[in-house]
Amino acid sequence: LMKERGAQMRVLGPIAQGQQDFDAAAVMAALEALADNAEKGTDLDTYWPEGSDTGDTRSRATIWEDRAGYQAASDKYKADVDAAVAANPQDLASFQAVFGPVAGNCGACHEVYRN
């Protein structure tokens, strides 16, 4: 799930930073893929079930210790991704405006919930 997100962020990040040309179709395809992925990620019991906190995981124990906090972070990410899709950005400036909160969610979540 997170690898899928990372793949889409590697498409969107360089565009947002002006390192690649803005392409509305590519941006929307990546945002829609993020939205589908975000929908799946709200189901914590499927992706982070009890007892899955051991072994080869890059997730911190705080996901299991603070389920409500992680659920809230996941829900906020989904809402921001959905808002970005709904905005249907057609130029770099409008894309950057809606992508900032999406990317910010990733960084904030990594600080607390990722090893």
Side-chain angles (χ1 to χ4, degrees):
L1 188 69
M2 295 303 171
K3 288 180 182 181
E4 290 175 15
R5 285 184 191 180
Q8 298 308 318
M9 295 301 282
R10 284 188 293 281
V11 170
L12 296 171
I15 295 171
Q17 295 168 356
Q19 297 170 349
Q20 291 186 4
D21 291 339
F22 178 82
D23 177 335
V27 164
M28 281 306 297
L31 288 174
E32 288 168 349
L34 283 180
D36 179 57
N37 177 282
E39 180 66 33
K40 295 175 195 172
T42 61
D43 182 6
L44 300 189
D45 292 332
T46 296
Y47 289 98
W48 290 274
E50 293 297 327
S52 65
D53 56 335
T54 61
D56 185 20
T57 180
R58 294 187 70 187
S59 301
R60 286 188 185 169
T62 51
I63 287 179
W64 294 271
E65 295 165 356
D66 180 19
R67 298 289 275 187
Y70 188 69
Q71 184 70 61
S74 182
D75 292 345
K76 182 178 180 326
Y77 170 78
K78 181 184 178 315
D80 287 342
V81 170
D82 289 346
V85 170
N88 189 19
Q90 295 299 304
D91 58 47
L92 181 59
S94 62
F95 166 58
Q96 289 170 325
V98 297
F99 182 67
V102 172
N105 286 318
C106 294
C109 195
H110 283 192
E111 289 178 17
V112 178
Y113 300 107
R114 181 179 178 206
N115 284 325

